[in-house]
Amino acid sequence: MSTAAADHTTTGGTVPDPDPASPTDPTGTRTAGEYDLVVVANRLPVDVTVTDSGIETTRAPGGLVTALAPIMRDADGAWVGWAGTPDLELDAFDDDDIFMVPVDLSATEVEAYYEGFSNGTLWPLLHDAVVDPEFHRAWWNSYVTVNRRFATAAAKAAAPGGTVWVQDYQLMLVPSLLRALRPDLKIGFFLHIPFPPPEIFSQLPWRKQVVEGMLGADLVGTQRVSDAANILRSVRRHTDLTTRGQVVTVGGRWTRPERHVRIAAFPISIDTTAIAALAETPEVIERAAQIRRELGDPAVMLLGVDRLDYTKGIRHRLKAFGELLEDGSVSVPDVTLVQVASPSREQVERYKVLRDDVEVTVGRINGDHGALGKAAIHYMHHSYPLEEMVAMYRAADVMLVTALRDGMNLVAKEYIAARTDLDGVLVLSEFAGAADELGQALIINPHDIDGLKRAIMEAISMSSREKRRRMRSLRRRVIDSDVQSWAASFLGTLRATPARDSHV
């Protein structure tokens, strides 16, 4: 089905081949080939709904959209991504002064490229193989095909000498594919999830192709210094390229000159100001108090907020809390745990098994330790709007982030931003990227259940003075390094790279 953009929120037409001599179509609408900043991500920053009259769009939530939307408006930006519905062909359209370039994916490609190679191979592999990754040639072939399609769309959209910023693990081949099509561009790549040591990454049959795919960029960004170091180690192991410090030298070939690729950490953050302002509204303050009342006014409310993913350590958290109840360290209804587990990749078998396991564990703990109307664990398997989440953050005495491996974990930073009252304690896994910045949290190893239990008890018994001291320091860090400064830092570094020769 082909659907043109035709409602009040969208205008524009099909993305044509770049033509510098014809920057606009006959109607005067901007077209592809002239956009100074192009973002390439698996998803568009809008949710698209097809109607009889065309399409309607709703801005998708997320820190990346928040960070890049104002920059893209100022820079005449275009966003290349999938609209989220398989077998739906969409023309390009304008939305809120950003040119949207949809990339079409078939249902078969969604299964093989996205659910398969991206989330069945790369996701577990890059998270230190927390579960075993699967390697299927058909998945890899689909990944190559789809990455080439994204690269082609970006090449058509970018202005001569423009900047293209490629996002995340679904598109690790795009930088090199785009470099071959448009050597005049400045290309950045940011990996939002971890990158493992080469001893783990070497399992991937297509390891060299993936490494070389990223090296098509001028700048490769990671969440942690250790992730950047791991990429550099894999470059040395799987290619014959020279590295010095953070820089990889890619030798010239034919008429292409030698170039240098920098690999460095740019830890992402959140829109701190917006969350702090929301936390101060009377509605959110009242909702936080109401949440405590609905829970039966417990003395201590513990909170976990995660996608239902095996990397988040939800089972470890439940085990620790269950043991605290069993040994009498805490009791219901004085202490309760609220666990929000938003749905994630529910078509994937491993995630179905995880959901069943978590829900059985919650049921067992509630059966053993709860009472009528007094649950030990309040478990919600759905998503909430930001206002509700901020109210939960304000209501919670202790925030539990027990990730087994996480690129950053923005929930930890959102909790800090919402605690304008300087109350609350953050218990944070050392395996989350946020631990590098948030040293005043109680840092734990989630595999050490006894250590996790001790940290929870320390958080529960911590004095108000100590809470305020720690939270004040944590807030200072999150306020100084928000998502806007992250985007500006990465793009500033990328644009400072030397200009490229446009000849192939």
Side-chain angles (χ1 to χ4, degrees), residues 253-269:
R253 184 179 181 186
W254 302 101
T255 59
R256 293 185 184 176
E258 179 180 277
R259 61 187 186 86
H260 303 283
V261 182
R262 183 182 175 193
I263 302 174
F266 296 84
I268 197 171
S269 193

Side-chain angles (χ1 to χ4, degrees), residues 453-500:
K453 290 164 61 179
R454 286 194 297 271
I456 293 173
M457 293 308 299
E458 181 181 352
I460 289 173
S461 61
M462 187 176 291
S463 69
S464 296
R465 180 178 180 181
E466 180 66 6
K467 289 180 185 179
R468 292 179 67 85
R469 184 190 69 79
R470 289 174 177 265
M471 189 58 68
R472 186 177 289 109
S473 176
L474 291 169
R475 284 183 55 77
R476 188 178 305 117
R477 184 58 187 259
V478 172
I479 290 170
D480 289 344
S481 301
D482 63 8
V483 72
Q484 288 82 11
S485 63
W486 164 79
S489 175
F490 186 94
L491 287 172
T493 303
L494 175 59
R495 286 166 171 161
T497 60
R500 296 289 169 216

Side-chain angles (χ1 to χ4, degrees), residues 204-437:
L204 183 67
W206 309 279
R207 58 206 184 185
K208 183 178 180 183
Q209 293 96 315
V210 169
V211 168
E212 290 178 341
M214 291 188 289
L215 294 180
D218 298 290
L219 176 63
V220 175
T222 63
Q223 301 280 22
R224 309 181 84 166
V225 172
S226 59
D227 296 326
N230 284 339
I231 293 177
L232 286 162
R233 290 174 63 199
S234 286
V235 170
R236 289 191 289 270
R237 175 172 291 200
H238 301 303
T239 75
D240 58 1
L241 300 176
T242 301
T243 65
R244 184 174 181 179
Q246 296 180 321
V247 176
V248 180
T249 300
V250 179
R253 184 179 181 186
W254 302 101
T255 59
R256 293 185 184 176
E258 179 180 277
R259 61 187 186 86
H260 303 283
V261 182
R262 183 182 175 193
I263 302 174
F266 296 84
I268 197 171
S269 193
I270 60 171
D271 190 351
T272 310
T273 301
I275 291 177
L278 190 58
E280 287 288 281
T281 61
E283 294 81 7
V284 166
I285 293 173
E286 171 53 32
R287 177 56 186 151
Q290 184 182 16
I291 289 171
R292 298 291 294 237
R293 292 194 296 270
E294 290 173 354
L295 293 173
D297 287 319
V300 178
M301 172 184 164
L302 310 176
L303 177 64
V305 176
D306 313 86
R307 283 189 312 103
L308 189 55
D309 192 285
Y310 48 76
T311 64
K312 301 300 183 181
I314 298 173
R315 287 176 288 200
H316 297 64
R317 184 183 313 157
L318 295 177
K319 181 175 179 61
F321 184 60
E323 289 189 7
L324 287 173
L325 290 167
E326 288 171 9
D327 61 29
S329 299
V330 299
S331 61
V332 180
D334 290 337
V335 179
T336 190
L337 169 62
V338 175
Q339 176 61 59
V340 178
S342 58
S344 177
R345 301 165 192 162
E346 296 191 294
Q347 298 80 14
V348 179
E349 184 61 28
R350 280 198 179 116
Y351 288 81
K352 296 177 184 177
V353 172
L354 173 64
R355 177 178 179 180
D356 290 344
D357 191 11
V358 167
E359 293 180 355
V360 166
T361 302
V362 169
R364 177 183 59 78
I365 293 174
N366 280 335
D368 290 345
H369 302 285
L372 189 64
K374 299 175 182 178
I377 301 173
H378 298 264
Y379 172 78
M380 282 82 73
H381 180 60
H382 52 86
S383 301
Y384 289 93
L386 182 60
E387 293 81 3
E388 182 73 0
M389 291 313 309
V390 172
M392 286 190 189
Y393 294 149
R394 283 201 65 119
D397 299 289
V398 181
M399 184 80 214
L400 301 177
V401 176
T402 56
L404 307 182
R405 191 76 163 93
D406 215 339
M408 176 53 63
N409 194 285
L410 296 180
V411 164
K413 294 188 175 184
E414 289 177 352
Y415 179 72
I416 293 166
R419 297 316 302 240
T420 56
D421 57 355
L422 301 182
D423 201 357
V425 182
L426 173 63
V427 176
L428 177 61
S429 168
E430 66 182 272
F431 302 116
D436 289 352
E437 302 176 86

Side-chain angles (χ1 to χ4, degrees), residues 23-161:
T24 59
D25 67 16
T27 66
T29 303
R30 289 180 60 95
T31 63
E34 59 168 324
Y35 293 91
D36 297 320
L37 174 62
V38 178
V39 169
V40 188
N42 180 62
R43 289 292 300 271
L44 290 173
V46 292
D47 294 324
V48 179
T49 303
V50 179
T51 67
D52 293 338
S53 59
I55 65 172
E56 296 179 354
T57 62
T58 305
R59 180 55 52 89
L64 186 64
V65 180
T66 300
L68 295 183
I71 295 174
M72 295 186 73
R73 292 189 200 102
D74 293 340
D76 294 326
W79 193 302
V80 176
W82 176 44
T85 301
D87 297 310
L88 176 64
E89 297 180 13
L90 292 174
D91 293 337
F93 59 92
D94 286 307
D95 185 276
D96 198 16
D97 294 326
I98 300 173
F99 190 66
M100 303 291 175
V101 183
V103 174
D104 306 326
L105 297 181
S106 68
T108 300
E109 288 169 337
V110 172
E111 182 178 356
Y113 144 77
Y114 181 70
E115 295 175 1
F117 195 80
S118 294
N119 292 312
T121 301
L122 288 178
W123 178 269
L125 181 71
L126 298 187
H127 284 86
D128 288 354
V130 171
V131 301
D132 291 335
E134 298 180 41
F135 306 114
H136 301 292
R137 285 170 290 180
W139 288 2
W140 165 252
N141 291 336
S142 182
Y143 186 80
V144 173
T145 297
V146 172
N147 271 243
R148 184 174 290 116
R149 192 175 305 151
F150 274 85
T152 300
K156 291 179 179 180

